[in-house]
Structure formats: C-alpha cells, structure tokens
Amino acid sequence: MTRRLIQLFIGLVFYGLSIALIVRADLGLDPWDVLNQGVFDRVAKPSGVSFGLVVNLIGMAVLLLWIPLRQKPGIGTVANVLVIGTVANFGLDWIPSDLGLPLRAGLLIAGIVLNGVASGAYIGAGLGPGPRDGLMTGIVARTGWPVKWVRTAIELTVIAVGWLLDGSVGLGTVLYALTIGPLVHVFLPLFTIRR
C-alpha cells in the first residue's frame, strides 16, 4: 500500500506540473484545459476563482459521467480532484510565461510526455483513477475497445466543447490529442501494480 500511495501522489503531482508546462508553452492547450480555460475565462476569472480550482471543479463534474459506467471512486479519485489543480496553480506561479519559441516547444513536448507518464503512474497505482481517466477506463471496461482509441476519442470531444467556449486551441492541442492515447497505452502497463 505504501508503494501504491507514493506512486499515486507522484503521478498526480506530475500531472499537475504537466498542465502548467502545457499552459506556459502557449502553443495550444491540452483538450481538457481548452475546456477548463473556456470555463475559467467565461465564469471563474471575473469572480476571482483560480484556473486550478476550475480544473478541480470540472473534475468533480466529470464524476457524474461515471454513474452509467458503474465506475467506483477510490482514494486516487478523491486525491486527483484535490491535487492536480492545486499543483497546476503552483506550477503556473513558478514557470515563466515570457519564453522564446524553442523553450515553449520544449515545454509542450515535456508536458505531453509527462502527462502520459503521470497518467500511467497514478492509474497504475490501482487506488482509483481520476475523474477524467475513470471515464476512459470505464468506457474501455464496458466496450473492450483499446485504451488508445478511447482516450483519443474523449480528447477530441473535449476539444470541440472547449473550442465552443472559446478555449485556446492550437498545434499543441492537436499534438496532445493525437499522442496522449498511445502514450497512456505504453505507460499504463509499465506502472500497473498487480494485486
């Protein structure tokens, strides 16, 4: 259990940092953050709510989609809702925003790869997936479809909704949407702890 908890929290911290890296790259947000930014700019920012809190609140809202999939939350689910947005806020406070294009491109690539590693680590800990990944694993469990295709379909759907809310879509968004499924497909088996 100690190893599971350590892996869970390392994965969640990495996930939050990956969000901050992608946001600071300013080359297009990952799909969920396109949605988060749209909600943040339209609703939360005028009222003084932070970007990270929006990430956490949308995570809570996604839990409602678990009901028809009969997914059960665990310690990891609750920790996800509390940790990721908080760490993303910390990262956004510390990562500079006035970087040149080569550094921003590096941040984008690092953020995407770190996100794949983080997803594999915290899901693989077996303490309950986060709201967004629980949606993915629930669909995979119910349909038998490959993780990479389910994850990619979810990401593309979220891009569309986020774009309708005027979230930032760019090259980074497309790159993330097309690569995160295959990355999670690789890293999830590597980090899965067997019971």
Side-chain angles (χ1 to χ4, degrees):
M1 182 55 103
T2 301
R3 179 184 168 197
R4 288 176 185 274
L5 286 169
I6 291 169
Q7 182 174 313
L8 168 70
F9 282 99
I10 289 172
L12 293 176
V13 168
F14 283 177
Y15 199 104
L17 290 175
S18 75
I19 289 173
L21 290 170
I22 294 168
V23 169
R24 286 295 181 240
D26 196 25
L27 294 170
L29 299 173
D30 65 88
W32 282 102
D33 288 325
V34 171
L35 176 63
N36 293 332
Q37 183 192 41
V39 171
F40 174 70
D41 287 344
R42 285 181 178 251
V43 179
K45 191 176 184 180
S47 61
V49 173
S50 70
F51 182 80
L53 183 56
V54 170
V55 171
N56 291 344
L57 292 173
I58 288 178
M60 288 179 201
V62 171
L63 286 175
L64 296 175
L65 298 175
W66 285 31
I67 295 169
L69 297 172
R70 290 180 255 141
Q71 285 284 87
K72 295 179 183 176
I75 296 168
T77 311
V78 175
N80 181 297
V81 169
L82 299 174
V83 172
I84 289 178
T86 305
V87 173
N89 270 346
F90 176 80
L92 290 169
D93 287 343
W94 287 94
I95 300 170
S97 59
D98 56 348
L99 301 171
L101 182 58
L103 285 175
R104 289 172 31 225
L107 288 179
L108 176 65
I109 293 167
I112 292 171
V113 173
L114 185 60
N115 194 280
V117 170
S119 296
Y122 83 78
I123 295 170
L127 294 173
R132 298 155 192 88
D133 291 309
L135 180 63
M136 172 192 70
T137 57
I139 293 171
V140 168
R142 294 288 168 244
T143 65
W145 298 337
V147 170
K148 60 184 174 182
W149 299 119
V150 170
R151 179 66 183 251
T152 301
I154 290 170
E155 301 299 329
L156 291 173
T157 301
V158 172
I159 289 171
V161 174
W163 179 75
L164 291 172
L165 292 171
D166 295 325
S168 295
V169 177
L171 178 63
T173 310
V174 175
L175 184 61
Y176 182 96
L178 295 176
T179 60
I180 195 63
L183 285 169
V184 173
H185 191 76
V186 168
F187 289 114
L188 184 56
L190 292 177
F191 290 111
T192 297
I193 300 172
R194 302 289 173 207
R195 297 186 182 203

